[in-house]
Amino acid sequence: MLNNLRPVFIIASREIRDQLRDWRIIFPVVGLTLFFPFLMNFTAQQMLGFVQKYGATIVGERLVPFLLMIVGFFPISVSLVIALESFVGEKERGSIEPLLNTPLQDWQLYLGKLLSSTVPPLTSSFLGMAVYLGGLRIQNIPWPETPMMILIVLLTIVQAIVMVSGAVVVSCQATSVRAANLLASFIVIPVALLIQGESILMFWGTYSTLWWAVFGLMVMAALLVRVGLAHFQREELLGREIDVLNARWIWRVFKKSFWGDVRSLADWYRFEISKTIRSMRISILITFVLALVGILLGADLIHQFFIPLDQESLAELDERIGLLVKAWPVFAVKPVMSIWWQNVRVLILAMVLGTFSFSILGVLPLMASMGAVGYLMALLTVNGIPAVTTLAFILPHAVIEVPAAILATAAILRAGVIMGTPTPDRTVGEVWIESIAIWTKIMAGVVIPMLLLAAAIEAWITPRLALLLVK
Amino acid sequence: MTSRTGRSRDSGFYQMICAENLTKKFDDFLAVDGVNLQVFPGQVLVLLGPNGAGKTTTVRMLTSVLKPTRGRALVAGYDVEREAEQVRFNIGVLTEHHGLYARMNAQEYLEFFGKLYRLELKQIRRRAEELLHRFGLFEDRFRRLGEFSKGMRQKLALVRALLHDPPVLLLDEPTSAMDPESARAVRDAIASLRSGDRTIMLCTHNLSEAEELADQVAIIRRGRIILSDTLENIKQNVLGPAEFQATFSKSLDGWSADLPEGVVLTERGANWLRFRVQDPPGTNPELLRMLSARMEMVTFQELPRSLEKAYLEVMRRAVIEEGNLAQ
Ligand SMILES: Nc1ncnc2c1ncn2[C@@H]1O[C@H](COP(=O)(O)OP(=O)(O)O)[C@@H](O)[C@H]1O
Ligand SMILES: [Mg+2]
């Protein structure tokens, strides 16, 4: 094993030595690790003085660890260029081919590049944090507590690994350094948003949630490294001159996964859709279990957030439903469309969340809605409304709507599974497009029509059925 | 690697490079189409063809950095798809773009690659010293590669390819885009590498280079090998029998004679004649006797038959054939 790792270190040490001789890298990194922390020190000092005047010391105290996090994050995002260049840069300079001709194995080359792209960002961010902490000591500002410091250091490490391994994946895919830099926004923007979230948590003082962030990022990092390794193949580096931003190629890959080679819509349903749904069996099962868990968690919330519904408001219930019935006349299209669009929007949001998190966050909208349903049912039941009535409010359209949502979420899960499964004959880009195509296929072919039907039932039938039961 | 080599049925020699129906498709584009190659130990095969003919793609399949769409290939007896690692240990490759690391010096560069070939540091240093001396780069071994001239870079890349003393060398356009002096130096270096047991495959579109270095020539056009033979045979088969020119001291007006069997007068000038001779050793003595009996002959020499002429002829025929197929 150790012998197998040797080439990894040979690659990595050469690259790191190369970086140390490159002023384009040294200059900003040194600048950021030395001057930026000083600036932050100065900021911390000024702010502390300022808020102390108004007695808001707590804000000042929270600012100190926050700035530590920023000082650690900045050098990483700047030295991300190293990772972005790792493969495509060598390809552009023509130095990759002699390397590919050596008896290196694919994974050794990949890990070597990953290692050499991770070390400089982390070193510079540790240096930066050390300078910042040193500055605090000199200015007699107390350091954050030890658990907090550990938390921040861990966050910095996992963020670095997530960003770098994402950038290396991009670097394998891109056909030019320019394209890689364009694609880098897909990494920097989500992580920047994440940092904003973390800052809010930090000022809020909910540190335990930050530990969850550490955990989540660790999973992300592991998945990114795995996906990168699973799809890395030296063949791909020279085998294509196609640009990742090549629309025609994207369209072709998409069409192939979306439409297959069927001739008619009927065949599409008979062969393609059914094949895809069969391939999603396990994802559907998992999503179903998650939906149940959502309902149970939601129902459980009743112990924490019990709202007694007074009899008056219950008495008004039939009046309200009556209003609803009037507002939503049978066969009126508008309410149907608005319910439908609302649901579609939630599922698209799930896809967007899933895209940036290997599907993990993609299950959140489903679980949240199921939780809401569970909570509502529990609330109505506890307030003495018979279960039959409650079910009548929900069941007629839920029978269609919930399976649709489960299918859509399962498609997102499936996309994550496909990404993580080793298929060395296809690139990450191809697999990514394919998984989007699968999701689109399920959405367009099954989920969206089902949701339309569910919305019609919800607008036209459910209120009338409920009215009948409430009376 | 003793008994791993692919033996060819008829020759009894084993082949160091053997490709069967090697094909590479990029999407719908056939870059290499059913290439067959056989190179025996100690031979130099020149793959000759214009830009975009598929030379680099062929080499990349032989070095197992591109997967063939169809067909298979053995290099040094190992299958390029299933035994890629063994193949890589046994080949030295000079790629079309040398892409050296500009911020390293030559010594560091060679040590880096030597380690990837799992050589001991001591071994690497010894080999590097020897090879750097041989290619006249020893004095420059601590200079940054960014400062190297094109010729020096190419020579260093050649040193890198030779560092682990591979039995098979694949050289992709080693002198393209080089000034004549550097090209000369690199060509001499390659010529000095021919030895009894090293097999070399060289890709080029440079005809004089091919003529200088080749034992075997394979002409490739649009992904297909259109002719493959020894240099001599190609000239013989394409350009026909050898031509000789006899030059005389005086003008020849009105000369005619019964020529020996197998000799044809092809052209005549004021004081010279050209003959095509089917069997020079058999008929030239008689021809010479006949010519010098009647007139004073100044010189009698074989007309040079360049590979260039043969190549252009082969290409011309390929174009005509293509036209016929298209109709
Ligand atoms: N990775 C690739 N993707 C698509 N087409 C390619 C790729 N590599 C080479 N080609 C095409 O294949 C043909 C042969 O290229 P190549 O083997 O480089 O030719 P040569 O080395 O003889 O000049 C060219 O038309 C080239 O455009
Ligand atoms: Mg070429």
Side-chain angles (χ1 to χ4, degrees), chain A residues 46 57 90 101 145-146 159 172 179 187 212 266 323 328 355 372 379 381 387 389 422-423 425:
Chain A
Q46 294 305 309
T57 40
E90 277 215 51
N101 281 320
E145 301 136 33
T146 314
Q159 265 158 13
C172 293
I187 300 164
W212 280 105
L323 275 178
W328 291 355
T355 306
L379 190 66
T381 313
T389 317
T423 41
D425 53 324

Side-chain angles (χ1 to χ4, degrees), chain B residues 51-52 54-57 96 172-173 203:
Chain B
N51 283 332
K55 303 182 294 294
T56 301
T57 307
E96 196 171 358
D172 194 357
E173 311 221 354
C203 298

Side-chain angles (χ1 to χ4, degrees), chain B residues 18-20 22 61-62 68 71-75 78-81 87:
Chain B
C18 171
E20 282 170 16
L22 209 56
M61 284 191 281
L62 293 177
R72 60 179 214 134
L74 298 179
V75 174
Y78 296 100
D79 187 296
V80 294
E81 277 191 86
V87 169

Side-chain angles (χ1 to χ4, degrees), chain A residues 106 233-240, chain B residues 24 65-68:
Chain A
D106 290 348
Q233 227 214 350
R234 61 179 79 195
E235 149 106 336
E236 294 305 333
L237 290 174
L238 299 172
R240 55 183 62 235
Chain B
K24 181 72 191 180
V65 292
L66 280 187
K67 269 209 178 73

Side-chain angles (χ1 to χ4, degrees), chain A residues 16-63:
Chain A
I16 291 167
R17 200 158 42 159
D18 227 42
Q19 288 156 16
L20 292 179
R21 292 174 183 174
D22 189 351
W23 64 267
R24 286 177 317 150
I25 291 171
I26 291 298
F27 193 73
V29 166
V30 167
L32 276 174
T33 48
L34 296 181
F35 299 121
F36 186 62
F38 273 126
L39 191 68
M40 289 297 113
N41 265 147
F42 181 73
T43 312
Q45 198 184 21
Q46 294 305 309
M47 289 293 283
L48 277 179
F50 180 73
V51 292
Q52 253 154 18
K53 266 198 295 203
Y54 299 95
T57 40
I58 184 122
V59 175
E61 275 160 21
R62 299 257 157 96
L63 193 69

Side-chain angles (χ1 to χ4, degrees), chain B residues 5-6 13-17 38-44 167-168 195-200 215:
Chain B
T5 36
F13 288 113
Y14 54 88
Q15 303 145 8
M16 289 307 269
I17 300 174
Q38 294 193 357
V39 195
F40 296 97
Q43 274 195 334
V44 179
V168 178
S195 75
D197 49 359
R198 184 173 285 123
T199 309
I200 300 178
D215 297 315

